[in-house]
Amino acid sequence: MKKTKQLFAGLILMAFGLGTAQAAYTLNLMRGVTKVSNDLYDLHMLILWVCVFIGIGVFGTMFYSIYHHRKSKGHKAEQFHENTAVEIAWTIIPTLILIGMAIPATKAMIELDNVQESDMSIKVTGHQWKWEYEYLDNGIHFFSNLDEGSNKVRQVGSGLDPRSVPNYLLNVDKPLVIPTKKKIRFVFTSADVIHSWWVPDLGWKKDTNPGFINESWTSVDEPGTYRGQCTELCGKDHAFMPIVVIAMNEPEYNAWVEQQKAAAAAEAGSAGKEWTKEDLVAKGKAVYETNCASCHMPDGAGLPGTFPALTASPVVTGDINAQVKLVSEGKGMMPAFGKVLSAVDFAAVVTYTRNGLGNSVGDAIQPLAIQALQSGIPVAGKNE
Amino acid sequence: MSAVVAEHDDHHDHGPAKGLLRWVITTNHKDIGTLYLLFALAMFFVGGAMAMVIRAELFEPGMQFVNPQFFNSMTTMHALVMVFGAVMPAFVGLANWMIPMMIGAPDMALPRMNNMSFWLLVAGVLLLASTLFMEGGAPASGWTLYPPLVLQTGKALPFAIFSVHLLGISSIMGAINIIATIFNMRAPGMTLMKMPMFVWTWLITAFLLIAIMPVFAGAVTMLLTDKFFATSFFDAAGGGDPVLYQHIFWFFGHPEVYVMILPTFGVASTIIPVFARKPLFGYSSMVHATAAIAFLSFIVWAHHMFTVGMPIAGELYFMYATMLIAIPTGVKVFNWTATMWKGSMTFETPMLFSIAFVVLFTMGGFTGLMMSVAPADFQYHDTYFIVAHFHYTLVPASIFILMAAGYFWLPKWTGHMYDERIGKLHFWLSVISVNVLFFPQHFLGLAGMPRRIPDYAVQFADWNMISSIGGFIFGASQLLFLYIVIHTIKGGTGEKVTSEVWEDAAKHSLEWTLPSPPPYHTFTTPPTVIPTEHI
């Protein structure tokens, strides 16, 4: 019924053409919130109008001709087939128009490229399929995953309504927070495949290449929440690693920084204590659903032929150290989680897979053991 | 061959071999042209079915039908099948049928290689299709096969790479054959600057193919050795660079997209003058513009990579060079418009498709011009805006012109007339639905929807649904074309078809001086009068 209604709505929209009932979504690029994004918007509109103008001229001539110069109206064909003056004109004039476009384009390109004199730097690392943010000036460091609400809905055949989740597929568990009115330099790299970091309101996207560093910059004047997505195909969950940037005025930003530092200290403490198997399993379930369920499925059944089942899997029910090694280093399409999950999350998810999902191996691994292992892991992507 | 018709004494006038074997062993350019065209039509429906899967999943937000990995395989295979299985072979089919008849040659210069190049194509495409059934699924990295992502492909990777090798060999053989034919087998008096535009555009395209297919083969071979033989061409950990692959790929890839559009220009320049009843405007500027576009195609590749992290000098150079393409392309559009100007136009189905081509290709050209502006491309890149752009230059351009060519030459090939009413119905359904399908994708891209995603934020829902509805109608409409082709081959309207088919067509090109259908062997003695109307 819902589908029929939507189909009907779509048909009505088509029938009425553009311009009606479209308040909810945009048809054009948005201005964005930075000087660069505004300059690019103006450039975009300039070229768009140039194209519209040329289009009206060419198509107008063509349709005039189609209407008047037809055999059914008795028009006799003339036999001319060249005109040097006209041919020179329609080569020279477009050249001049192009030069007129190239000048503002060059200015904008130079502005976009200038990462000098920044106030702070944030390192962005792409992972399959999450973003890692590291504030190079104050050591804040965290991962940003698709939010839980979207993640539940987007599972194949979940039957849940995407409209029930606010900002479906454009929300994360931990957003990137930046101060307003500061020039922020971003450095980009990747731990696995190429991703691309795009927030339309900032005006640009930049690829993250494994083993290499790219740079870009932004400066946001107004506080607000700005959303974007990965724009370079990076595998199965390419559509499910959004970006959320929250710009805050300086006092709020400073308070956020202090809060993050306190939380990091608490997290480090929890890895040091002894965990019970039950606590690990309970925590591991949430970690599993964020990081593993999209391939191995929420019930551990996998996807025959593409992604192996974890229920009764020889790896999961076998030697625990071999499983830790595989999860840590990855294999084929499976990403390496060794540097991605905290020691607690890592221990929890491994323990969960062995004692949940229909398995009952009975053993557990402590975060302390993972911590010891992680300190010996070769650094992913050679970029730290 | 002569053994099959042993009772004949006249070896110059024997017919085809009998039965199915005729199609396997044939060296006749008309038979091979037919094989290429029918194979391309079949692959058009295979690739189209994949597009239907994509549009069905995108009909609504949320994941309804396929898992994301299979969705990525669909976008990848849809592109590979359409490019290498449908559009390119269709144009090779046209070249096989038309070039010898247009230049007054009895056949292609290298008929046995012609046969081999067709069957290698079939082998290559079947090998590619077989990857769908392999462990780990078909390649899901996009048709560009970027590392490191493509190296995560399962068992399918070496098969996909070998299939690219086969397709490359097939294309190179086809290209060599076309060049050899055009340079050696023209009728006396058919100088280069008297050749029909279709022959010219194919000559230039053939040189592009010879230049680029080995580059692509090299790129995928490096993927193969990176994966299986411990090299590190594209792996930073071993001193390589993943972006190097993109440079190599697009050095192939940009001319490759012109391989699909230059013959399109040639067909449009052939059809429009016939129905405008005027000579082509600016023949020599058309030839030069084609050559200029072909040259420029080699020096603009990194405009596919503006956001990959290039130095500012690289960004600016590739922006300026790319903008230049607008000049010769503009010349072509102006020439087609001037050809129609003060003509005496009629609007049979081939002309309708050709006019739609000029208008809609120009729209694709406009968005191409917008994306050539490097800083603006930092917003457009890898969104639905580019999806809309290249589909405008491929579907209502290359595909529409292939349809136009089908309607234009089917009466010549079969000796039967297609049903004009159903042809026009096919045209109007196609031209409306293709715009419903692709025009909203401009809005989606500008509003921020990335490409190659199986699910999207709800603000993109309405335009995606409209786009999908357009897609389903467009897909279904193409079944009409299949019907028309079969109907025409089986006898069509029953109307008697003259050798000219279209009014005064023989003034434009040699094929219209031959009977419809032409005998199995044509121009065994070269024609004496060369048409010059098109010059």
Side-chain angles (χ1 to χ4, degrees):
Chain A
M1 189 57 209
K2 196 182 94 233
K3 277 190 187 171
T4 328
K5 259 189 191 164
Q6 285 173 354
L7 181 72
F8 195 63
L11 285 171
I12 289 177
L13 261 178
M14 271 168 62
F16 283 85
L18 315 179
T20 53
Q22 282 168 13
Y25 39 86
T26 56
L27 303 176
N28 197 1
L29 210 59
M30 280 170 292
R31 276 204 163 271
V33 294
T34 63
K35 180 168 182 306
V36 167
S37 72
N38 274 278
D39 290 351
L40 296 192
Y41 175 85
D42 292 337
L43 192 57
H44 160 75
M45 290 314 290
L46 170 75
I47 321 159
L48 185 62
W49 284 117
V50 168
C51 289
V52 168
F53 177 76
I54 298 172
I56 289 172
V58 174
F59 299 149
T61 311
M62 198 183 297
F63 287 116
Y64 177 91
S65 177
I66 287 170
Y67 187 76
H68 290 284
H69 306 148
R70 52 169 74 211
K71 197 182 177 194
S72 60
K73 293 186 102 182
H75 194 272
K76 292 270 174 290
E78 295 188 13
Q79 292 303 308
F80 66 87
H81 56 89
E82 46 190 16
N83 184 326
T84 310
V86 170
E87 288 178 65
I88 288 174
W90 70 37
T91 310
I92 301 287
I93 294 171
T95 309
L96 296 176
I97 295 174
L98 287 177
I99 292 171
M101 279 167 45
I103 292 167
T106 304
K107 280 187 191 146
M109 193 62 235
I110 290 169
E111 182 189 20
L112 191 57
D113 192 62
N114 177 18
V115 293
Q116 304 300 312
E117 289 165 15
S118 62
D119 298 311
M120 60 180 278
S121 297
I122 298 174
K123 186 175 135 196
V124 180
T125 308
H127 291 263
Q128 287 176 315
W129 295 273
K130 53 174 69 65
W131 295 101
E132 178 186 4
Y133 298 113
E134 192 177 349
Y135 292 63
L136 298 181
D137 304 277
N138 58 24
I140 292 176
H141 174 229
F142 57 90
F143 285 87
S144 183
N145 287 288
L146 181 66
D147 73 301
E148 209 183 319
S150 301
N151 197 32
K152 284 213 171 72
V153 174
R154 65 98 177 179
Q155 304 299 333
V156 181
S158 73
L160 301 169
D161 182 7
R163 288 174 179 82
S164 66
V165 182
N167 295 307
Y168 176 61
L169 297 187
L170 291 177
N171 207 2
V172 296
D173 56 355
K174 283 193 83 172
L176 177 70
V177 177
I178 57 169
T180 52
K181 299 188 173 70
K182 295 269 187 220
K183 181 162 183 176
I184 299 159
R185 168 177 160 265
F186 290 95
V187 292
F188 295 97
T189 188
S190 167
D192 36 54
V193 302
I194 301 171
H195 306 264
S196 190
W197 196 86
W198 183 36
V199 177
D201 281 328
L202 303 187
W204 46 262
K205 61 179 66 72
K206 201 80 175 183
D207 291 5
T208 72
N209 302 321
F212 290 84
I213 297 283
N214 272 337
E215 289 179 297
S216 195
W217 69 277
T218 196
S219 175
V220 180
D221 287 335
E222 291 303 315
T225 305
Y226 309 112
R227 297 171 195 278
Q229 284 180 273
C230 178
T231 43
E232 178 68 52
L233 179 61
C234 58
K236 179 175 167 293
D237 283 354
H238 164 56
F240 309 115
M241 48 182 291
I243 298 154
V244 179
V245 177
I246 298 182
M248 291 180 179
N249 287 328
E250 193 141 22
E252 286 98 57
Y253 172 74
N254 289 335
W256 178 83
V257 168
E258 291 315 313
Q259 193 197 335
Q260 293 305 303
K261 284 183 173 162
E267 164 86 22
S270 79
K273 73 166 189 170
E274 183 84 5
W275 285 62
T276 67
K277 191 178 90 185
E278 286 65 37
D279 286 349
L280 285 171
V281 169
K283 188 168 178 59
K285 187 168 191 302
V287 180
Y288 179 84
E289 270 154 19
T290 306
N291 292 284
C292 321
S294 73
C295 296
H296 297 296
M297 298 290 122
D299 61 355
L303 206 63
T306 314
F307 305 111
L310 298 188
T311 308
S313 137
V315 175
V316 176
T317 56
D319 176 33
I320 194 164
N321 292 319
Q323 187 195 351
V324 166
K325 187 170 179 329
L326 191 147
V327 176
S328 176
E329 293 170 4
K331 185 186 172 191
M333 246 184 277
M334 171 146 164
F337 285 96
K339 281 280 174 186
V340 172
L341 295 177
S342 71
V344 173
D345 286 355
F346 194 111
V349 79
V350 170
T351 308
Y352 171 70
T353 57
R354 302 175 74 83
N355 299 289
L357 305 173
N359 296 324
S360 50
V361 187
D363 56 357
I365 191 158
Q366 285 299 321
L368 267 176
I370 301 293
Q371 224 171 20
L373 197 76
Q374 281 178 335
S375 51
I377 289 176
V379 179
K382 316 237 156 337
N383 47 40
E384 290 188 25
Chain B
M1 287 292 285
S2 58
V4 183
V5 281
E7 65 273 22
H8 278 245
D9 282 330
D10 185 358
H11 285 251
H12 294 287
D13 202 31
H14 59 68
K18 297 283 182 285
L20 266 184
L21 198 61
R22 162 185 174 183
W23 300 102
V24 180
I25 61 170
T26 183
T27 54
N28 178 285
H29 74 102
K30 299 182 185 74
D31 281 357
I32 293 174
T34 303
L35 284 172
Y36 264 109
L37 288 168
L38 293 179
F39 181 76
L41 188 61
M43 289 305 119
F44 176 61
F45 284 102
V46 171
M50 293 172 178
M52 294 299 107
V53 173
I54 294 169
R55 281 320 317 173
E57 182 57 61
L58 292 174
F59 186 73
E60 277 192 299
M63 300 296 302
Q64 289 87 19
F65 304 110
V66 297
N67 75 64
Q69 184 71 18
F70 186 72
F71 181 91
N72 291 343
S73 288
M74 282 294 104
T75 55
T76 306
M77 295 293 279
H78 162 72
L80 290 171
V81 167
M82 284 300 197
V83 170
F84 294 103
V87 177
M88 287 169 68
F91 279 118
V92 178
L94 288 183
N96 259 292
W97 254 104
M98 303 320 301
I99 289 176
M101 292 187 354
M102 282 178 159
I103 62 173
D107 205 309
M108 296 294 280
L110 308 158
R112 285 167 208 274
M113 195 163 86
N114 207 6
N115 174 294
M116 190 175 173
S117 103
F118 172 74
W119 287 108
L120 278 178
L121 165 76
V122 176
V125 174
L126 288 182
L127 191 62
L128 184 67
S130 72
T131 62
L132 276 166
F133 307 100
M134 290 177 186
E135 192 187 324
S141 56
W143 81 287
T144 53
L145 307 175
Y146 279 3
L149 182 62
V150 72
L151 301 176
Q152 295 179 352
T153 309
K155 296 268 187 288
L157 185 66
F159 295 92
I161 289 172
F162 187 49
S163 132
V164 167
H165 286 150
L166 288 180
L167 295 170
I169 295 169
S170 163
S171 287
I172 292 170
M173 284 182 168
I176 291 172
N177 206 351
I178 286 166
I179 292 172
T181 306
I182 295 173
F183 279 160
N184 294 301
M185 309 210 20
R186 296 192 311 278
M190 175 71 79
T191 60
L192 285 175
M193 288 310 276
K194 281 185 186 164
M195 294 195 308
M197 268 316 289
F198 178 69
V199 180
W200 254 117
T201 53
W202 243 117
L203 178 64
I204 292 167
T205 303
F207 277 102
L208 287 188
L209 276 172
I210 289 182
I212 62 173
M213 292 314 292
V215 177
F216 189 29
V220 295
T221 306
M222 286 188 258
L223 289 177
L224 192 75
T225 62
D226 266 15
K227 174 83 175 177
F228 296 104
F229 303 103
T231 57
S232 302
F233 291 109
F234 309 128
D235 179 6
D241 183 348
V243 176
L244 172 65
Y245 176 86
Q246 299 184 21
H247 283 290
I248 302 172
F249 179 87
W250 286 113
F251 184 81
F252 147 81
H254 198 75
E256 166 66 23
V257 299
Y258 290 8
V259 164
M260 294 187 279
I261 203 69
L262 294 185
T264 308
F265 295 163
V267 177
S269 306
T270 307
I271 293 177
I272 292 172
V274 171
F275 294 97
R277 290 165 184 78
K278 261 185 72 193
L280 180 67
F281 187 89
Y283 171 85
S284 72
S285 75
M286 283 298 219
V287 172
H288 292 126
T290 310
I293 293 171
F295 170 74
L296 287 172
S297 76
F298 283 107
I299 59 166
V300 295
W301 72 88
H303 68 218
H304 297 268
M305 307 159 51
F306 278 141
T307 65
V308 84
M310 273 190 292
I312 182 90
E315 305 268 3
L316 292 176
Y317 160 73
F318 282 107
M319 170 170 79
Y320 301 145
T322 304
M323 284 175 149
L324 288 179
I325 298 175
I327 298 167
T329 314
V331 165
K332 290 200 154 269
V333 172
F334 300 142
N335 278 338
W336 289 318
T337 310
T339 305
M340 291 182 218
W341 188 253
K342 301 208 165 165
S344 176
M345 276 187 271
T346 52
F347 303 95
E348 289 84 349
T349 312
M351 182 63 162
L352 288 175
F353 271 107
S354 300
I355 292 172
F357 152 77
V358 177
V359 174
L360 298 176
F361 171 75
T362 305
M363 305 250 285
F366 285 146
T367 48
L369 180 64
M370 294 173 76
M371 279 182 295
S372 75
V373 176
D377 191 60
F378 276 71
Q379 290 281 37
Y380 307 141
H381 182 73
D382 268 352
T383 67
Y384 258 81
F385 194 73
I386 172 93
V387 176
H389 158 74
F390 67 71
H391 279 100
Y392 262 90
T393 61
L394 281 171
V395 183
S398 295
I399 300 282
F400 270 25
I401 277 297
L402 285 166
M403 299 289 173
Y407 287 106
F408 189 57
W409 282 309
L410 259 179
K412 167 60 59 187
W413 297 332
T414 62
H416 308 303
M417 197 61 197
Y418 65 87
D419 187 327
E420 188 66 53
R421 271 181 328 136
I422 307 181
K424 286 204 165 106
L425 177 66
H426 172 226
F427 167 77
W428 286 109
L429 279 173
S430 297
V431 77
I432 292 168
S433 60
V434 86
N435 284 293
V436 176
L437 166 57
F438 292 121
F439 205 81
Q441 297 183 357
H442 292 114
F443 305 145
L444 286 170
L446 293 175
M449 180 169 161
R451 67 191 286 205
R452 291 168 170 162
I453 56 173
D455 193 5
Y456 46 81
V458 292
Q459 67 262 39
F460 306 131
D462 295 350
W463 288 123
N464 266 300
M465 187 177 284
I466 292 169
S467 177
S468 286
I469 292 169
F472 299 144
I473 299 173
F474 182 77
S477 311
Q478 302 321 307
L479 296 172
L480 273 180
F481 184 69
L482 185 64
Y483 166 78
I484 291 166
V485 170
I486 295 170
H487 178 251
T488 310
I489 291 172
K490 287 187 151 177
T493 58
E495 188 187 330
K496 197 160 163 33
V497 176
T498 63
S499 62
E500 272 197 323
V501 183
W502 313 107
E503 188 184 331
D504 288 338
K507 279 160 62 182
H508 295 271
S509 185
L510 276 173
E511 74 268 28
W512 307 109
T513 62
L514 296 165
S516 306
Y520 198 55
H521 295 289
T522 44
F523 293 128
T524 42
T525 50
T528 45
V529 182
I530 305 298
T532 51
E533 175 82 357
H534 60 276
I535 298 169

